[in-house]
Amino acid sequence: MRIVKLTQESKNNILENLLKRSPNSYGKFEDAVNNILLDVKTRKDEALFEYTKKFDKAEINSSNVIVSKEEIDRAYTLVDPELVNVIRKALKNIKEYHEKQKQYSWFDSKPDGTILGQKITALGRVGVYVPGGKAAYPSSVLMNVIPAKVAGVEQIIMCTPPDKDGNVYPTTLVAANEAGVDVVYKVGGAQAIAAMAYGTESIPKVDKICGPGNIYVALAKKAVFGYVSIDSVAGPSEILVIADETANPRYVAADLLSQAEHDEMASSILITTSEDIANKVSQEVDNFVKVLSRREIIQKSLDNYGYILVVKDIDEAVDVANEIASEHLEIVTKDPFTVMTKIKNAGAIFLGEYSSEPLGDYFAGPNHVLPTNGTAKFFSPLSVDDFIKKSSIISYSKNALEAIHNDIETFATAEHLTAHANSIAVRFEK
């Protein structure tokens, strides 16, 4: 990995390079995505099944678009029972963590007859997108579905692309069934996002779409925002490690590569106060890359967006980490909890050498759907909050309103909204 001595210039260059990975830079694909969205919105199922035939080579129609109970039962026979058991253990951890996020309606009453409050209501229907392609990610199924279930969403549907024979990945089906998905549809890509956003004869319109996907899926989600809510427009994966001289370079190198293998655009950055650690981590990375199965993807990722930054002290490391606002942030120092208190911007923070990033991806319980590409400065991980909405409650007695009606009328009149003022004034006419 390249080792860079941090200067203002090198920091600016790195930040500029990382921003090239933003979904906002995918403009050349937008026309194709918009054409698909409009076509599905207009022709509904007809267009949906044509695109499934074109892109997935599968003969899908209204009679087989829904995954049957028999297909789900068969999936269990194709998945290793040990993996099913692990999925259930992870599900328990994820559910317990998210149950602590639940919010409840509240009301506050005063002696003068004023009642103010907030009503919490779960979304009615949520659509979860699960990629197909070269790999299946049952962990993403759990992370997207469980917070919606905990929030009390009435119906959760899932869209995932079929293979050419019209089958869905068995692990995806098992995870969906264990998590409590109501219906699974065999459609993928931008056309699936369109179907969930606008509704077709086979697939109902949802209130919110969540879940990862390729560039076309990301742009489709961005385009339909407003017709429905979305979780976020996710960019490529990223990890940032802050390490001092006490860190184990082999562990650090392994953790950096855990994200580099995702994607050629993934970012892996080490910020360290120790030149010795920088050199040792670089050597360990080179050794690992030679033996890991996805070495071509890893190497391209490291060549494009991999850095080892040497800084003068931990405070400078924290400053740079807050500027980058990484999706995953590991702190491997002699006092990680003190360093953590200075972190303002990160999707998920992992403390200590035994809290490696994959622990959060699969098992610990916190959500692995995290803000990317610097958006941790203003976005949070996916949570129960993403699947509820809040209504304000206002109730005043006559006496309570009478005490302040002149103030409201004064305010409304100052804004030249006389009908507003009149709505209050008529209640106190002589």
Side-chain angles (χ1 to χ4, degrees):
M1 284 180 73
R2 81 193 97 177
I3 299 175
V4 178
K5 204 94 169 210
L6 188 75
T7 63
Q8 188 61 47
E9 182 182 3
S10 64
K11 183 172 80 169
N12 290 343
N13 289 340
I14 290 167
L15 290 171
E16 185 178 341
N17 190 38
L18 293 177
L19 285 174
K20 294 175 184 175
R21 303 156 58 253
S22 169
N24 292 321
S25 303
Y26 299 163
K28 62 182 179 181
F29 302 100
E30 284 183 347
D31 285 346
V33 168
N34 289 334
N35 288 337
I36 293 172
L37 295 177
L38 180 60
D39 199 13
V40 174
K41 184 179 181 182
T42 305
R43 297 195 296 127
K44 301 186 182 298
D45 269 0
E46 183 182 3
L48 183 64
F49 300 145
E50 283 179 12
Y51 286 118
T52 304
K53 174 68 174 173
K54 178 179 179 180
F55 297 127
D56 301 308
K57 315 303 180 191
E59 295 286 354
I60 299 298
N61 54 56
S62 58
S63 67
N64 66 358
V65 68
I66 294 177
V67 172
S68 67
K69 183 181 183 302
E70 290 73 25
E71 288 174 289
I72 294 172
D73 292 341
R74 187 169 70 251
Y76 276 86
T77 70
L78 300 172
V79 176
D80 186 336
E82 185 179 353
L83 177 57
V84 176
N85 190 39
V86 170
I87 286 172
R88 288 170 178 164
K89 288 180 180 178
L91 191 155
K92 180 176 180 290
N93 293 343
I94 297 164
K95 184 179 179 184
E96 287 177 354
Y97 180 87
H98 286 82
E99 280 177 341
K100 294 178 174 64
Q101 298 176 337
K102 286 184 76 170
Q103 294 194 43
Y104 300 91
S105 300
W106 57 266
F107 300 90
D108 181 28
S109 60
K110 296 181 180 178
D112 65 358
T114 303
I115 300 175
L116 300 176
Q118 182 172 270
K119 184 177 184 295
I120 302 294
T121 308
L123 301 185
R125 182 185 292 124
V126 165
V128 176
Y129 185 82
V130 178
K134 297 176 182 177
Y137 298 106
S139 60
S140 286
V141 175
L142 302 183
M143 293 294 183
N144 281 277
V145 173
I146 292 170
K149 292 292 287 188
V150 170
V153 172
E154 293 173 22
Q155 185 185 37
I156 301 173
I157 70 170
M158 179 180 289
C159 286
T160 188
D163 64 18
K164 61 184 176 56
D165 298 317
N167 299 316
V168 172
Y169 274 116
T171 50
T172 297
L173 289 185
V174 168
N177 189 61
E178 293 291 329
V181 173
D182 294 295
V183 189
V184 180
Y185 295 95
K186 302 175 187 177
V187 291
Q191 61 271 23
I193 302 301
M196 291 190 283
Y198 307 128
T200 73
E201 295 88 347
S202 297
I203 299 179
K205 183 184 186 303
V206 301
D207 300 314
K208 183 164 191 164
I209 299 172
C210 60
N214 62 17
I215 289 173
Y216 294 95
V217 169
L219 286 174
K221 287 171 66 178
K222 183 179 177 183
V224 300
F225 178 65
Y227 290 94
V228 294
S229 179
I230 63 171
D231 50 354
S232 64
V233 181
S237 297
E238 52 199 33
I239 185 170
L240 189 153
V241 180
I242 295 177
D244 62 13
E245 71 283 356
T246 67
N248 183 318
R250 188 167 172 81
Y251 295 174
V252 172
D255 293 356
L256 290 170
L257 298 181
S258 72
Q259 295 309 289
E261 76 169 343
H262 266 300
D263 189 323
E264 293 170 4
M265 295 177 70
S267 166
S268 302
I269 298 174
L270 166 63
I271 305 177
T272 181
T273 54
S274 166
E275 287 194 34
D276 183 52
I277 289 291
N279 290 316
K280 287 179 177 177
V281 168
S282 181
Q283 185 58 55
E284 291 286 356
V285 165
D286 291 343
N287 293 339
F288 276 131
V289 171
K290 294 173 185 175
V291 299
L292 291 170
S293 63
R294 295 168 68 87
R295 54 184 167 271
E296 289 184 11
I297 292 174
I298 291 172
Q299 193 59 60
K300 286 182 180 178
S301 166
L302 296 177
D303 290 345
N304 292 328
Y305 304 107
Y307 299 94
I308 296 176
L309 306 179
V310 180
V311 296
K312 66 177 186 291
D313 54 32
I314 287 294
D315 285 340
E316 187 172 48
V318 167
D319 288 343
V320 178
N322 281 328
E323 195 71 31
I324 293 173
S326 185
E327 177 187 20
H328 306 100
L329 170 64
E330 290 188 7
I331 302 175
V332 192
T333 62
K334 56 178 170 283
D335 188 3
F337 283 89
T338 296
V339 177
M340 180 268 294
T341 63
K342 300 175 182 178
I343 296 296
K344 297 177 182 177
N345 306 320
I349 304 173
F350 301 78
L351 304 176
E353 64 180 11
Y354 292 102
S355 304
S356 63
E357 188 279 335
L359 175 66
D361 269 354
Y362 295 111
F363 210 77
N367 210 289
H368 79 197
V369 181
L370 302 166
T372 58
N373 217 242
T375 61
K377 291 180 179 179
F378 45 83
F379 281 147
S380 304
L382 191 72
S383 73
V384 172
D385 290 352
D386 288 288
F387 300 100
I388 62 171
K389 52 195 176 70
K390 304 168 186 176
S391 302
S392 303
I393 304 296
I394 302 168
S395 176
Y396 267 56
S397 67
K398 180 179 179 181
N399 288 340
L401 184 60
E402 188 169 19
I404 49 92
H405 79 94
N406 287 328
D407 294 337
I408 301 170
E409 292 164 33
T410 298
F411 220 146
T413 302
E415 294 186 347
H416 307 290
L417 297 175
T418 54
H420 279 64
N422 185 60
S423 173
I424 298 292
V426 294
R427 288 165 167 76
F428 302 101
E429 291 174 330
K430 300 299 182 186

